[in-house]
Amino acid sequence: MSTTNGQWYPPEWPERIRLLSAGELTPVAPRRAATVLLLRDGPDGTAGQDAPQDAQDARDGDGQHTPDEPDAAERPGTARESEGAPEPAAESAEGSETPPEGLRDAAGEAAAGPAVYMLRRRASMAFAGGAYAYPGGAVDPRDERMVTWAGPSRAQWARRLGLDPSEGTQAQAIVCAAVRETFEEAGVLLAGPTPHTVVADTTGDDWEADRAALVARDLSFAEFLDRRGLVLRSDLLSCWARWITPEFEPRRYDTWFFVAALPRGQRTRNASTEADRTVWIRPGDAADGYDRGELLMMPPTIATLRQLADYGSVADALAAATDRDLTPVLARARVENGELVLSWPGHDEFTKHIPGATGGPSA
């Protein structure tokens, strides 16, 4: 790993790149995956210092939230009034979270812009252990099962995700994976009893039992939604970016990065066994921590944080997502002047020069 910033860089990559260059390594096919950048507007810099409130305080009388305005146009990236307002701080399994050391705002200073929910992967994880990331994971084949759906059509989502319009079922699976993984890892559910509502509280033993069954794959997401009479709110998601794990990495994912606002009434919590801490933090503060080498991150994570830092509110970020370029970012490796050069197109800051390279170039 780099000693000057927090870029995740496995020490075995150079050798794997050389093997790929020499034709001695066969790339594995990437699995489709989805991850979600949960956003919230808040009065302070980090939203991770507040004491948790009783979940009942955020509930409506019928346990759901109804938007103040009519449904928005059916197109990916459209923000909804129901997408959320500032909520209480996240709480991990080990207690209330605060930002990583050195990243708190000065007392009384109100920083601009939304906060993003991040988790730190346990150091014991085989892939990106110790790195900060967002809730997400691989598509489950059962995510293709039909669900009650609100928002853009499956064909519209296929076009937005860069798939053929005929691949509506695959597009649904990616969107379902984004919603399912967010519920599994953060306890936040982008679904409601009607196409215009969102559940206001996902705490309680019954919700936890369903979440655990989803994690164990004892329950499909379609079965979960049907059992509870819920509609998947695809309109609450906007796609932000797409990254594909390099060909020389044995654990490869073709990942779509979504943005979504934390729904009113719902609370994030560290529900993931893969994370040892969670935090609400402003993108710029997280990027500063990465630059100082204090926060470990994979290239897609820090890239999306830098992009989000330019927006002053959740609404601004969601609106900008509509026009985002979703051309997949895939690392390239080449031999140049005796060095192996590893680069991510369009992201020069991640370029690595590895001395003593042998073998031919690879893509």
Side-chain angles (χ1 to χ4, degrees):
M1 187 187 76
S2 168
T3 58
T4 57
N5 61 29
Q7 183 175 342
W8 179 71
Y9 183 72
E12 66 271 16
W13 269 12
E15 179 59 24
R16 295 191 63 84
I17 293 170
R18 293 186 181 98
L19 291 174
L20 182 65
S21 301
E24 300 175 14
L25 179 69
T26 301
V28 300
R31 298 178 62 189
R32 285 177 170 173
T35 190
V36 177
L37 288 66
L38 281 174
L39 304 174
R40 52 161 281 181
D41 290 315
D44 60 6
T46 57
Q49 303 175 39
D50 303 328
Q53 298 177 1
D54 182 25
Q56 184 65 32
D57 293 343
R59 292 175 62 97
D60 285 343
D62 58 359
Q64 67 190 51
H65 170 68
T66 303
D68 299 327
E69 297 182 6
D71 209 32
E74 286 201 350
R75 59 184 176 86
T78 301
R80 294 297 189 84
E81 185 65 22
S82 60
E83 284 173 348
E87 290 303 318
E91 182 175 332
S92 75
E94 289 127 319
S96 296
E97 281 297 343
T98 58
E101 190 65 30
L103 297 184
R104 298 183 182 88
D105 285 338
E109 181 181 349
V116 61
Y117 182 73
M118 303 189 75
L119 53 84
R120 185 176 66 187
R121 295 171 59 83
R122 293 187 183 276
S124 59
M125 297 296 294
F127 184 80
Y132 278 82
Y134 313 114
V139 170
D140 182 335
R142 298 177 300 173
D143 289 331
E144 295 183 5
R145 296 181 182 179
M146 286 296 100
V147 299
T148 306
W149 183 274
S153 69
R154 293 163 177 83
Q156 286 176 302
W157 267 112
R159 285 191 290 269
R160 177 61 183 138
L161 297 177
L163 308 178
D164 188 275
S166 65
E167 296 185 87
T169 301
Q170 287 70 38
Q172 176 197 285
I174 294 166
V175 173
C176 277
V179 177
R180 174 180 52 76
E181 289 283 345
T182 302
F183 179 57
E184 288 181 9
E185 297 195 346
V188 170
L189 183 60
L190 303 177
T194 74
H196 308 294
T197 57
V198 182
V199 293
D201 182 17
T202 60
T203 62
D205 292 343
D206 58 333
W207 285 102
E208 176 55 25
D210 280 349
R211 193 199 64 79
L214 287 168
V215 172
R217 299 298 181 258
D218 294 333
L219 180 69
S220 73
F221 195 54
E223 292 168 332
F224 163 72
L225 293 176
D226 183 64
R227 174 189 296 179
R228 288 187 171 269
L230 296 176
V231 180
L232 186 143
R233 293 290 304 276
S234 81
D235 53 317
L236 300 186
L237 288 164
S238 300
C239 202
W240 188 265
R242 180 182 178 185
W243 288 67
I244 301 177
T245 311
E247 292 181 332
F248 43 82
E249 169 60 44
R251 294 163 291 268
R252 299 190 66 210
Y253 298 93
D254 182 354
T255 305
W256 282 263
F257 288 72
F258 295 86
V259 290
L262 179 67
R264 286 196 184 96
Q266 293 196 37
R267 306 173 51 83
T268 53
R269 63 189 179 89
N270 186 2
S272 174
T273 59
E274 298 179 356
D276 61 9
R277 79 174 299 172
T278 61
V279 65
W280 280 100
I281 188 169
R282 298 197 184 276
D285 293 336
D288 289 344
Y290 167 91
D291 290 337
R292 292 193 296 267
E294 297 170 358
L295 303 185
L296 181 66
M297 297 181 201
M298 292 174 281
T301 308
I302 181 59
T304 50
L305 286 171
R306 294 203 196 284
Q307 293 157 359
L308 284 171
D310 293 335
Y311 297 95
S313 69
V314 173
D316 290 343
L318 293 176
T322 305
D323 299 321
R324 293 280 307 170
D325 181 6
L326 298 186
T327 301
V329 179
L330 175 64
R332 305 286 181 180
R334 68 185 187 276
V335 174
E336 185 177 283
N337 298 325
E339 287 186 327
L340 191 150
V341 181
L342 175 61
S343 62
W344 279 258
H347 300 272
D348 292 343
E349 73 165 296
F350 305 128
T351 299
K352 291 282 187 180
H353 294 264
I354 306 165
T358 60
S362 69

